[in-house]
Amino acid sequence: KGWIKELPVVSIPKQLPVNKGKVRGGITGEEVDALVLHKENKYMIDGKHRKLTKHQKRQRDLIVLMVQFIRYTGLRAGELLDLKWKEISIAKNEDGVDFIKINVIDGKTGSRTAVAQSALSFTLIETHKITGNGNGYVFCEIDKGTRLTHPSKTLQVMLKEIGIERKIVLYDARHLFITESIMNNTDLYTIALNCGTSINHIEKTYSKVLAVQRVDKLARFRNLGTMISAEKASAVVAAVKSAGIIKVE
């Protein structure tokens, strides 16, 4: 009694779903560099300059600077668009080395302090030349000073001009920040704190990147990317410090 006389037929899928970690379609460091070069060449196409108004060129310049800004900080696009000059400052770490500090107010996961890579200094100086307006928005409508809207369409046009056809949005530069930070052997706790996300999310989303990083580490190879010495980083931050465009704590 109680024994099953015949085993039930169970339908088993050929392959069980595996969570491999879905990485966002991002932009590479080389593609960001190509976009910056396109800006420096004043958006030339086939050796000819595009007919752009002063306002259009400034808007394009701002978009390229926004991509760089997110690459060097890991901010979300919305957090960047909400950012004001008064929320950026220069502070000193425990060793007395200057670094750029960003106070993210009311981000997706609440308020936090983000630390920028020293290369942001040059981006800040360039941006301030266009939108430097006291304590207003860092990225704003030039004539009005109001919060800039998402520039996805214009970004896509510029990318197409340099031969990049796939869809890329500002958020993809955040993916680049996290990817480069992982490859530079930055610990996941620090990355998560800076980006206002969780270690669990990074482990799931960037599992393939983490696997590559572990292989490189075990093989004693290291992709330095944008990593520079503390002394050089301090010298780079000194450039924005001497420009006097953000407060010093």
Side-chain angles (χ1 to χ4, degrees):
K1 290 182 179 181
W3 292 94
I4 298 175
K5 293 181 180 179
E6 189 174 333
L7 291 173
V9 177
V10 180
S11 176
I12 301 176
K14 292 182 180 179
Q15 184 175 358
L16 294 174
V18 179
N19 181 10
K20 295 182 179 179
K22 187 178 180 182
V23 179
R24 299 176 185 274
I27 187 170
T28 66
E30 291 76 15
E31 288 169 337
V32 173
D33 293 340
L35 192 59
V36 172
L37 183 61
H38 191 41
K39 176 178 79 71
E40 292 174 353
N41 289 333
K42 299 180 180 178
Y43 310 105
M44 289 181 65
I45 303 175
D46 297 327
K48 296 180 181 179
H49 290 291
R50 281 204 58 172
K51 291 183 179 180
L52 300 169
T53 64
K54 186 177 181 180
H55 178 79
Q56 288 174 325
K57 184 184 179 301
R58 282 183 173 182
Q59 290 292 94
R60 279 173 163 246
D61 289 351
L62 280 181
I63 292 169
V64 176
L65 291 166
M66 289 172 77
V67 172
Q68 289 182 283
F69 201 110
I70 296 176
R71 180 190 184 180
Y72 296 140
T73 62
L75 296 187
R76 296 178 178 88
E79 293 170 344
L80 177 63
L81 292 171
D82 285 337
L83 189 65
K84 295 183 178 180
W85 284 106
K86 65 181 180 180
E87 293 156 2
I88 308 174
S89 60
I90 295 175
K92 289 185 181 295
N93 66 12
E94 294 178 352
D95 298 321
V97 177
D98 289 335
F99 69 93
I100 300 170
K101 186 174 81 171
I102 298 170
N103 291 318
V104 179
I105 308 298
D106 196 24
K108 184 179 179 181
T109 54
S111 300
R112 72 179 188 281
T113 297
V115 176
Q117 293 180 12
S118 58
L120 184 69
S121 299
F122 304 114
T123 303
L124 283 172
I125 292 171
E126 280 196 67
T127 305
H128 194 267
K129 290 177 182 177
I130 303 173
T131 69
N133 55 354
N135 290 326
Y137 290 107
V138 176
F139 291 96
C140 61
E141 296 290 348
I142 299 166
D143 299 329
K144 303 175 183 177
T146 55
R147 184 184 186 274
L148 196 67
T149 54
H150 281 277
S152 301
K153 289 183 180 179
T154 306
L155 174 59
Q156 206 60 47
V157 169
M158 289 192 293
L159 289 167
K160 195 171 183 179
E161 289 171 356
I162 59 175
I164 302 173
E165 297 288 342
R166 72 183 187 282
K167 184 177 180 180
I168 292 175
V169 295
L170 281 176
Y171 198 97
D172 291 325
R174 173 177 161 94
H175 161 72
L176 178 60
F177 171 85
I178 296 175
T179 299
E180 290 185 328
S181 295
I182 291 172
M183 295 307 297
N184 284 334
N185 293 321
T186 305
D187 65 274
L188 299 189
Y189 178 73
T190 298
I191 299 172
L193 276 181
N194 215 64
C195 293
T197 188
S198 67
I199 295 175
N200 184 52
H201 172 75
I202 293 175
E203 286 178 332
K204 285 183 176 180
T205 308
Y206 298 88
S207 58
K208 292 181 181 179
V209 179
L210 286 165
V212 172
Q213 185 259 1
R214 289 187 186 111
V215 170
D216 285 348
K217 197 171 183 180
L218 288 169
R220 297 185 180 277
F221 286 110
R222 195 177 190 189
N223 178 359
L224 293 178
T226 54
M227 182 178 282
I228 56 178
S229 67
E231 292 77 13
K232 189 172 182 180
S234 182
V236 171
V237 173
V240 72
K241 186 176 182 179
S242 63
I245 61 177
I246 55 177
K247 65 183 179 182
V248 179
E249 296 183 359

